[in-house]
PDB file of all heavy atoms in Angstrom:
ATOM      1  N   TYR A 191     129.278 130.911-110.288  1.00 95.00           N
ATOM      2  CA  TYR A 191     129.712 130.871-108.879  1.00 95.00           C
ATOM      3  C   TYR A 191     129.561 132.232-108.256  1.00 95.00           C
ATOM      4  O   TYR A 191     129.054 132.391-107.131  1.00 95.00           O
ATOM      5  CB  TYR A 191     131.178 130.419-108.756  1.00 95.00           C
ATOM      6  CG  TYR A 191     131.698 130.508-107.387  1.00 95.00           C
ATOM      7  CD1 TYR A 191     131.316 129.643-106.350  1.00 95.00           C
ATOM      8  CD2 TYR A 191     132.617 131.489-107.028  1.00 95.00           C
ATOM      9  CE1 TYR A 191     131.762 129.741-105.056  1.00 95.00           C
ATOM     10  CE2 TYR A 191     133.116 131.641-105.737  1.00 95.00           C
ATOM     11  CZ  TYR A 191     132.672 130.728-104.747  1.00 95.00           C
ATOM     12  OH  TYR A 191     133.132 130.907-103.514  1.00 95.00           O
ATOM     13  N   LYS A 195     127.059 133.039-105.263  1.00 94.00           N
ATOM     14  CA  LYS A 195     127.665 133.510-103.986  1.00 94.00           C
ATOM     15  C   LYS A 195     127.090 134.873-103.532  1.00 94.00           C
ATOM     16  O   LYS A 195     126.734 135.028-102.383  1.00 94.00           O
ATOM     17  CB  LYS A 195     129.135 133.617-104.222  1.00 94.00           C
ATOM     18  CG  LYS A 195     129.944 134.073-102.956  1.00 94.00           C
ATOM     19  CD  LYS A 195     131.433 134.006-103.240  1.00 94.00           C
ATOM     20  CE  LYS A 195     131.882 135.220-103.987  1.00 94.00           C
ATOM     21  NZ  LYS A 195     133.327 135.317-103.994  1.00 94.00           N
ATOM     22  N   CYS A 199     124.823 135.311-100.251  1.00 93.00           N
ATOM     23  CA  CYS A 199     125.337 136.224 -99.196  1.00 93.00           C
ATOM     24  C   CYS A 199     124.289 137.326 -98.864  1.00 93.00           C
ATOM     25  O   CYS A 199     124.120 137.654 -97.661  1.00 93.00           O
ATOM     26  CB  CYS A 199     126.627 136.919 -99.646  1.00 93.00           C
ATOM     27  SG  CYS A 199     128.089 135.870 -99.567  1.00 93.00           S
ATOM     28  N   ALA A 204     125.260 138.187 -95.076  1.00 86.00           N
ATOM     29  CA  ALA A 204     126.703 138.017 -94.787  1.00 86.00           C
ATOM     30  C   ALA A 204     127.534 138.901 -95.718  1.00 86.00           C
ATOM     31  O   ALA A 204     127.233 139.075 -96.880  1.00 86.00           O
ATOM     32  CB  ALA A 204     127.139 136.587 -95.014  1.00 86.00           C
ATOM     33  N   HIS A 205     128.628 139.491 -95.166  1.00 85.00           N
ATOM     34  CA  HIS A 205     129.508 140.386 -95.947  1.00 85.00           C
ATOM     35  C   HIS A 205     130.476 139.561 -96.821  1.00 85.00           C
ATOM     36  O   HIS A 205     130.893 140.035 -97.860  1.00 85.00           O
ATOM     37  CB  HIS A 205     130.280 141.327 -95.030  1.00 85.00           C
ATOM     38  CG  HIS A 205     129.460 142.273 -94.326  1.00 85.00           C
ATOM     39  ND1 HIS A 205     128.779 143.312 -94.973  1.00 85.00           N
ATOM     40  CD2 HIS A 205     129.055 142.390 -92.964  1.00 85.00           C
ATOM     41  CE1 HIS A 205     128.067 144.021 -94.090  1.00 85.00           C
ATOM     42  NE2 HIS A 205     128.250 143.492 -92.835  1.00 85.00           N
ATOM     43  N   GLU A 206     130.847 138.376 -96.313  1.00 85.00           N
ATOM     44  CA  GLU A 206     131.701 137.448 -97.126  1.00 85.00           C
ATOM     45  C   GLU A 206     131.195 136.016 -97.057  1.00 85.00           C
ATOM     46  O   GLU A 206     130.450 135.734 -96.066  1.00 85.00           O
ATOM     47  CB  GLU A 206     133.122 137.550 -96.633  1.00 85.00           C
ATOM     48  CG  GLU A 206     133.309 137.227 -95.177  1.00 85.00           C
ATOM     49  CD  GLU A 206     134.804 137.334 -94.714  1.00 85.00           C
ATOM     50  OE1 GLU A 206     135.460 138.291 -95.090  1.00 85.00           O
ATOM     51  OE2 GLU A 206     135.212 136.454 -93.923  1.00 85.00           O
ATOM     52  N   PRO A 207     131.498 135.216 -98.049  1.00 88.00           N
ATOM     53  CA  PRO A 207     130.883 133.887 -98.082  1.00 88.00           C
ATOM     54  C   PRO A 207     131.352 132.992 -96.931  1.00 88.00           C
ATOM     55  O   PRO A 207     132.492 132.957 -96.586  1.00 88.00           O
ATOM     56  CB  PRO A 207     131.365 133.360 -99.468  1.00 88.00           C
ATOM     57  CG  PRO A 207     132.598 134.105 -99.761  1.00 88.00           C
ATOM     58  CD  PRO A 207     132.381 135.460 -99.203  1.00 88.00           C
ATOM     59  N   THR A 208     130.386 132.336 -96.339  1.00 89.00           N
ATOM     60  CA  THR A 208     130.732 131.284 -95.347  1.00 89.00           C
ATOM     61  C   THR A 208     131.137 129.973 -96.072  1.00 89.00           C
ATOM     62  O   THR A 208     131.021 129.945 -97.326  1.00 89.00           O
ATOM     63  CB  THR A 208     129.496 130.940 -94.476  1.00 89.00           C
ATOM     64  OG1 THR A 208     128.442 130.435 -95.302  1.00 89.00           O
ATOM     65  CG2 THR A 208     128.949 132.181 -93.753  1.00 89.00           C
ATOM     66  N   PHE A 209     131.611 128.990 -95.337  1.00 90.00           N
ATOM     67  CA  PHE A 209     132.054 127.773 -95.909  1.00 90.00           C
ATOM     68  C   PHE A 209     130.845 127.080 -96.594  1.00 90.00           C
ATOM     69  O   PHE A 209     130.988 126.584 -97.743  1.00 90.00           O
ATOM     70  CB  PHE A 209     132.591 126.811 -94.867  1.00 90.00           C
ATOM     71  CG  PHE A 209     133.115 125.568 -95.426  1.00 90.00           C
ATOM     72  CD1 PHE A 209     134.458 125.481 -95.753  1.00 90.00           C
ATOM     73  CD2 PHE A 209     132.344 124.386 -95.571  1.00 90.00           C
ATOM     74  CE1 PHE A 209     135.045 124.324 -96.250  1.00 90.00           C
ATOM     75  CE2 PHE A 209     132.872 123.228 -96.055  1.00 90.00           C
ATOM     76  CZ  PHE A 209     134.263 123.179 -96.444  1.00 90.00           C
ATOM     77  N   PHE A 210     129.667 127.149 -96.061  1.00 93.00           N
ATOM     78  CA  PHE A 210     128.447 126.577 -96.628  1.00 93.00           C
ATOM     79  C   PHE A 210     128.098 127.246 -97.972  1.00 93.00           C
ATOM     80  O   PHE A 210     127.704 126.625 -98.914  1.00 93.00           O
ATOM     81  CB  PHE A 210     127.284 126.597 -95.666  1.00 93.00           C
ATOM     82  CG  PHE A 210     125.959 126.119 -96.247  1.00 93.00           C
ATOM     83  CD1 PHE A 210     125.765 124.747 -96.357  1.00 93.00           C
ATOM     84  CD2 PHE A 210     124.991 126.997 -96.625  1.00 93.00           C
ATOM     85  CE1 PHE A 210     124.544 124.281 -96.886  1.00 93.00           C
ATOM     86  CE2 PHE A 210     123.789 126.508 -97.158  1.00 93.00           C
ATOM     87  CZ  PHE A 210     123.586 125.177 -97.289  1.00 93.00           C
ATOM     88  N   ILE A 211     128.137 128.566 -97.927  1.00 94.00           N
ATOM     89  CA  ILE A 211     127.726 129.335 -99.185  1.00 94.00           C
ATOM     90  C   ILE A 211     128.664 129.028-100.293  1.00 94.00           C
ATOM     91  O   ILE A 211     128.235 128.770-101.433  1.00 94.00           O
ATOM     92  CB  ILE A 211     127.748 130.866 -98.847  1.00 94.00           C
ATOM     93  CG1 ILE A 211     126.567 131.269 -97.952  1.00 94.00           C
ATOM     94  CG2 ILE A 211     127.703 131.656-100.158  1.00 94.00           C
ATOM     95  CD1 ILE A 211     126.559 132.678 -97.434  1.00 94.00           C
ATOM     96  N   ALA A 212     129.950 129.045-100.058  1.00 93.00           N
ATOM     97  CA  ALA A 212     130.987 128.738-100.999  1.00 93.00           C
ATOM     98  C   ALA A 212     130.816 127.273-101.537  1.00 93.00           C
ATOM     99  O   ALA A 212     130.898 126.991-102.711  1.00 93.00           O
ATOM    100  CB  ALA A 212     132.378 128.915-100.495  1.00 93.00           C
ATOM    101  N   SER A 215     127.449 127.025-103.662  1.00 95.00           N
ATOM    102  CA  SER A 215     127.647 127.782-104.927  1.00 95.00           C
ATOM    103  C   SER A 215     128.636 127.056-105.860  1.00 95.00           C
ATOM    104  O   SER A 215     128.375 126.941-107.039  1.00 95.00           O
ATOM    105  CB  SER A 215     128.256 129.204-104.656  1.00 95.00           C
ATOM    106  OG  SER A 215     127.370 129.895-103.830  1.00 95.00           O
ATOM    107  N   GLU A 296     138.224 129.548-100.473  1.00 88.00           N
ATOM    108  CA  GLU A 296     137.599 130.707 -99.951  1.00 88.00           C
ATOM    109  C   GLU A 296     137.912 130.843 -98.406  1.00 88.00           C
ATOM    110  O   GLU A 296     138.186 131.908 -97.917  1.00 88.00           O
ATOM    111  CB  GLU A 296     136.119 130.752-100.195  1.00 88.00           C
ATOM    112  CG  GLU A 296     135.740 130.977-101.589  1.00 88.00           C
ATOM    113  CD  GLU A 296     135.697 132.422-102.020  1.00 88.00           C
ATOM    114  OE1 GLU A 296     136.321 133.240-101.312  1.00 88.00           O
ATOM    115  OE2 GLU A 296     135.090 132.738-103.048  1.00 88.00           O
ATOM    116  N   TYR A 297     137.794 129.680 -97.751  1.00 87.00           N
ATOM    117  CA  TYR A 297     138.119 129.659 -96.310  1.00 87.00           C
ATOM    118  C   TYR A 297     139.555 130.041 -96.023  1.00 87.00           C
ATOM    119  O   TYR A 297     139.835 130.839 -95.097  1.00 87.00           O
ATOM    120  CB  TYR A 297     137.761 128.264 -95.695  1.00 87.00           C
ATOM    121  CG  TYR A 297     138.115 128.157 -94.253  1.00 87.00           C
ATOM    122  CD1 TYR A 297     137.179 128.594 -93.308  1.00 87.00           C
ATOM    123  CD2 TYR A 297     139.287 127.563 -93.800  1.00 87.00           C
ATOM    124  CE1 TYR A 297     137.445 128.475 -91.959  1.00 87.00           C
ATOM    125  CE2 TYR A 297     139.586 127.475 -92.419  1.00 87.00           C
ATOM    126  CZ  TYR A 297     138.627 127.928 -91.493  1.00 87.00           C
ATOM    127  OH  TYR A 297     138.924 127.829 -90.165  1.00 87.00           O
ATOM    128  N   SER A 300     140.176 133.746 -96.678  1.00 84.00           N
ATOM    129  CA  SER A 300     139.564 134.556 -95.641  1.00 84.00           C
ATOM    130  C   SER A 300     140.369 134.446 -94.296  1.00 84.00           C
ATOM    131  O   SER A 300     140.617 135.481 -93.656  1.00 84.00           O
ATOM    132  CB  SER A 300     138.117 134.059 -95.294  1.00 84.00           C
ATOM    133  OG  SER A 300     137.585 134.729 -94.211  1.00 84.00           O
TER     134      SER A 300
END
Side-chain angles (χ1 to χ4, degrees):
Y191 173 72
K195 183 175 75 171
C199 282
H205 294 292
E206 58 182 41
T208 61
F209 187 88
F210 175 76
I211 289 172
S215 302
E296 290 278 18
Y297 178 81
S300 175

